Amino acid sequence: MIEIHWGNPLSFVLPDGDVKTFTTIETAAYWLRRKWPVDDAPRAHAARMLDAAAHCMIPIGTARAAFADAAQAAGFTSLHMH
């Protein structure tokens, strides 16, 4: 499988204190499907956007932004990489 990188990694502090870094659409989509702590509208929207980006229907940046919004809604704290 070819993984689609989406630019700079997105890192978040999870509610349990662990840090997770997302570097590809596939990793983000897997987390949304299998490991996400809430099943809410932002999660569903992000999943749709990641799928659309994987099929070259929308820009990767749009999917990345939807994923970041879902992470914030799920209680993840952005960890800015410098």
Side-chain angles (χ1 to χ4, degrees), residues 33-44:
R33 283 191 317 271
R34 304 282 185 199
K35 297 187 172 230
W36 216 246
V38 294
D39 186 14
D40 59 3
R43 182 204 144 281

Side-chain angles (χ1 to χ4, degrees), residues 13-35:
V13 179
L14 307 181
D16 65 5
D18 284 345
V19 174
K20 176 65 182 163
T21 299
F22 298 91
T23 58
T24 66
I25 286 177
E26 292 77 11
T27 301
Y30 173 80
W31 267 71
L32 286 171
R33 283 191 317 271
R34 304 282 185 199
K35 297 187 172 230

Side-chain angles (χ1 to χ4, degrees), residues 4-81:
I4 301 170
H5 293 271
W6 62 3
N8 291 332
L10 290 177
S11 294
F12 297 97
V13 179
L14 307 181
D16 65 5
D18 284 345
V19 174
K20 176 65 182 163
T21 299
F22 298 91
T23 58
T24 66
I25 286 177
E26 292 77 11
T27 301
Y30 173 80
W31 267 71
L32 286 171
R33 283 191 317 271
R34 304 282 185 199
K35 297 187 172 230
W36 216 246
V38 294
D39 186 14
D40 59 3
R43 182 204 144 281
H45 177 70
R48 286 191 305 274
M49 295 298 99
L50 289 172
D51 184 62
H55 290 93
C56 301
M57 297 172 65
I58 65 167
I60 290 173
T62 301
R64 181 182 159 101
F67 182 77
D69 290 345
Q72 183 178 7
F76 297 9
T77 304
S78 179
L79 183 67
H80 298 286
M81 304 293 286

